[in-house]
Amino acid sequence: AQSVTQLDSHVSVSEGTPVLLRCNYSSSYSPSLFWYVQHPNKGLQLLLKYTSAATLVKGINGFEAEFKKSETSFHLTKPSAHMSDAAEYFCVVSQTGANNLFFGTGTRLTVIP
Amino acid sequence: ETGVTQTPRHLVMGMTNKKSLKCEQHLGHNAMYWYKQSAKKPLELMFVYNFKEQTENNSVPSRFSPECPNSSHLFLHLHTLQPEDSALYLCASSQVTLRFSYNEQFFGPGTRLTVL
C-alpha cells in the first residue's frame, strides 16, 4: 500500500526567507515521488520528481527535494521565497512501474511581502 | 494548443441535466486519467485509460460515464448528478510502455463543476 502524509496544511513565510514543505510517504515497493504545484484556478504542474537516481532532486523555479529512505521523507525546500510561489503544493507517491498516483492532502503556501 | 486542454472550464448544471466534459492531450501519450478534486480532500482518481482501454474504475457512481474514443481524447459524461458532485474535475495524461511506466502525469487546467 502507498500513501503520503503532508505534515502541514498551511505554511506561511516572508518573502526572501526559506521554504520547507514536509512530506512523509509509505510504500511497499520502490517508490517514485513527485511534488506538484497548483496555482489558483489552474491545473497541477510538476515541480520535480524522484525515480531512484540522485537522492537530491532539483526542480523548476529554484525548488529542490531530498529523498531520505531512512526517514521515509521527501521534503520540498527553496532557499528564498518569492511572491509567485504562493500556491497549493502536493506531494505524490507512486510505485515505480505503475501509473497510479497517490496524492497528499496538500500544503497551502502563503508568502508575506 | 499544447499540453492537456479541458473544456468547458466552468459548468453549472441542474441535477436532471446531461452534460459532458472534454479533455484533449497534445503530448502523444497513451494513458489518460480523470480525477476529482474536492475541498479539503486528496485528489481522487476516478478512471484510468491505457491504450484506450479502461483499466481502472475507482468505485465511481454510474452517473459518471467515461469515454475514450482514441488516445488523444477523453470524455466524462454526466447525468443526474448530486450537489456533492460539485468539484474541480482534472484530466491528466502520461506515457506508458509495456516494460516501464513513465508515470509522470501532465494535468489540464480542470473543469469547475457546480451542481445545483
Side-chain angles (χ1 to χ4, degrees):
Chain A
Q2 292 156 95
S3 65
V4 170
T5 301
Q6 291 186 244
L7 298 163
D8 307 292
S9 60
H10 188 204
V11 170
S12 185
V13 301
S14 297
E15 189 176 16
T17 64
V19 176
L20 170 64
L21 304 183
R22 298 182 294 165
C23 172
N24 286 101
Y25 70 91
S26 172
S27 177
S28 304
Y29 304 95
S30 176
S32 294
L33 292 156
F34 310 82
W35 276 98
Y36 281 84
V37 61
Q38 186 178 31
H39 289 91
N41 300 313
K42 296 287 181 67
L44 278 73
Q45 180 185 18
L46 182 70
L47 273 180
L48 49 80
K49 62 181 178 181
Y50 165 78
T51 54
S52 74
T55 56
L56 182 61
V57 182
K58 294 187 183 300
I60 61 172
N61 301 334
F63 285 94
E64 61 182 39
E66 186 171 8
F67 173 70
K68 291 187 176 180
K69 187 175 181 179
S70 61
E71 299 176 10
T72 61
S73 69
F74 190 59
H75 302 332
L76 182 70
T77 60
K78 183 174 180 176
S80 175
H82 191 272
M83 293 301 295
S84 60
D85 295 328
E88 187 96 18
Y89 291 79
F90 295 93
C91 183
V92 183
V93 65
S94 175
Q95 175 189 340
T96 300
N99 61 350
N100 288 6
L101 301 183
F102 296 86
F103 285 77
T105 51
T107 297
R108 179 163 298 280
L109 176 65
T110 298
V111 182
I112 303 167
Chain B
E1 291 277 16
T2 58
V4 181
T5 59
Q6 290 186 243
T7 56
R9 294 294 309 276
H10 300 271
L11 178 63
V12 179
M13 59 187 289
M15 289 191 285
T16 58
N17 291 159
K18 290 185 179 181
K19 297 286 185 183
S20 295
L21 310 185
K22 179 183 175 182
C23 175
E24 183 173 0
Q25 60 95 1
H26 310 268
L27 301 167
H29 290 162
N30 53 22
M32 297 187 76
Y33 312 79
W34 279 117
Y35 288 89
K36 177 182 179 182
Q37 186 177 31
S38 305
K40 308 298 183 187
K41 294 174 68 174
L43 237 68
E44 300 172 57
L45 178 65
M46 300 175 73
F47 300 105
V48 180
Y49 278 82
N50 282 325
F51 302 95
K52 301 187 298 177
E53 298 296 322
Q54 187 180 131
T55 57
E56 188 140 351
N57 174 343
N58 277 353
S59 303
V60 180
S62 60
R63 57 185 184 270
F64 294 92
S65 174
E67 178 190 1
C68 188
N70 55 62
S71 58
S72 299
H73 293 86
L74 185 64
F75 295 89
L76 188 62
H77 304 299
L78 316 171
H79 65 98
T80 59
L81 294 192
Q82 304 297 312
E84 59 264 30
D85 296 322
S86 298
L88 182 68
Y89 288 85
L90 292 164
C91 174
S93 70
S94 71
Q95 182 64 18
V96 174
T97 69
L98 293 177
R99 287 186 61 237
F100 185 75
S101 169
Y102 296 90
N103 47 10
E104 169 186 339
Q105 294 182 12
F106 294 80
F107 286 80
T111 295
R112 174 69 62 186
L113 174 67
T114 303
V115 182
L116 301 176

